[in-house]
Amino acid sequence: MAATIPFSLIRNSSALISPRLVLPFAKAANHNFSKFILPIQSRRLPFSTGATNNEEAAAKAAALDADKGAPTIFDKIINKEIPSNIVYEDEKVLAFRDINPQAPVHVLVIPKSRDGLTELGKADPRHEEILGQLLYAAKIVAEKEGILDGFRVVINNGASACQSVYHLHLHVLGGRQMKWPPG
């Protein structure tokens, strides 16, 4: 007996299901549903799983002042003008707990000197060493926090990624099962 796929299921989810996924099942069931499946116009889902409108607005506002060179909140944390819960520090890198954690472990890792590195998209060859040091510091943080067996490192780049502080920073997230896709 051949399996059938309800037409309504295909029609209603055509924007979410790739023809590459459905057609093999349709062919196996001796049905040709390809004429009913619309091509995917966008890989984005029709609902928001990411940031709230407030986060998006804050990111857009922060982007306006991104390259003006004014001190960021991270500069103030580095200079100890604003207290933070430091997890790791060396001569070039500082890691501290995020004040709005998105996981049981949520630590930010930043370079102590911005050197024009407001976002990853602005990286130049001169930044290679600090980029490596940031990733190595993320590993040290994961080890210190007991999440070395499973953690995520996230870098938001630009307003569309909801970057709200224009001083390159890595988010080290863990302590729970991470899901995919993120965002």
Side-chain angles (χ1 to χ4, degrees), residues 2 8 19 23 30 32 39 54 72 77 88 91 102 106 108 135-136 149 177:
S8 62
L23 288 179
N30 293 321
N32 182 7
N54 289 341
T72 68
I77 289 171
Y88 172 77
E91 63 280 349
Q102 302 300 307
H106 188 166
L108 300 177
L135 284 174
Y136 185 69
D149 64 329
Q177 177 63 53

Side-chain angles (χ1 to χ4, degrees), residues 18 21 34 43 54 57 61 67 82 84-85 92 101-102 106 114 136 151 171 173:
S18 168
L21 296 174
S34 60
R43 291 201 157 280
N54 289 341
D67 294 318
I82 296 176
S84 64
N85 188 341
K92 297 194 179 211
Q102 302 300 307
H106 188 166
R114 235 184 318 169
Y136 185 69
F151 66 99
H171 297 259
L173 301 154

Side-chain angles (χ1 to χ4, degrees), residues 66-89:
D67 294 318
K68 292 186 178 174
T72 68
I73 189 169
F74 294 164
D75 293 312
K76 294 174 183 178
I77 289 171
I78 292 165
N79 294 329
K80 311 294 190 233
E81 296 170 27
I82 296 176
S84 64
N85 188 341
I86 296 173
V87 175
Y88 172 77
E89 183 173 14

Side-chain angles (χ1 to χ4, degrees), residues 90-160:
D90 64 27
E91 63 280 349
K92 297 194 179 211
V93 174
L94 180 67
F96 53 93
R97 296 195 192 288
D98 195 300
I99 60 169
N100 185 24
Q102 302 300 307
V105 174
H106 188 166
V107 176
L108 300 177
V109 181
I110 64 173
K112 286 185 173 180
S113 172
R114 235 184 318 169
D115 187 29
L117 201 51
T118 55
E119 57 187 293
L120 187 58
K122 304 266 175 136
D124 287 329
R126 74 177 191 272
H127 297 121
E128 287 180 12
E129 183 179 341
I130 191 63
L131 292 171
Q133 290 170 329
L134 290 167
L135 284 174
Y136 185 69
K139 180 261 185 189
I140 292 170
V141 165
E143 193 169 48
K144 284 178 160 255
E145 295 294 308
I147 60 168
L148 196 55
D149 64 329
F151 66 99
R152 179 169 289 160
V153 176
V154 176
I155 301 173
N156 299 321
N157 187 86
S160 295

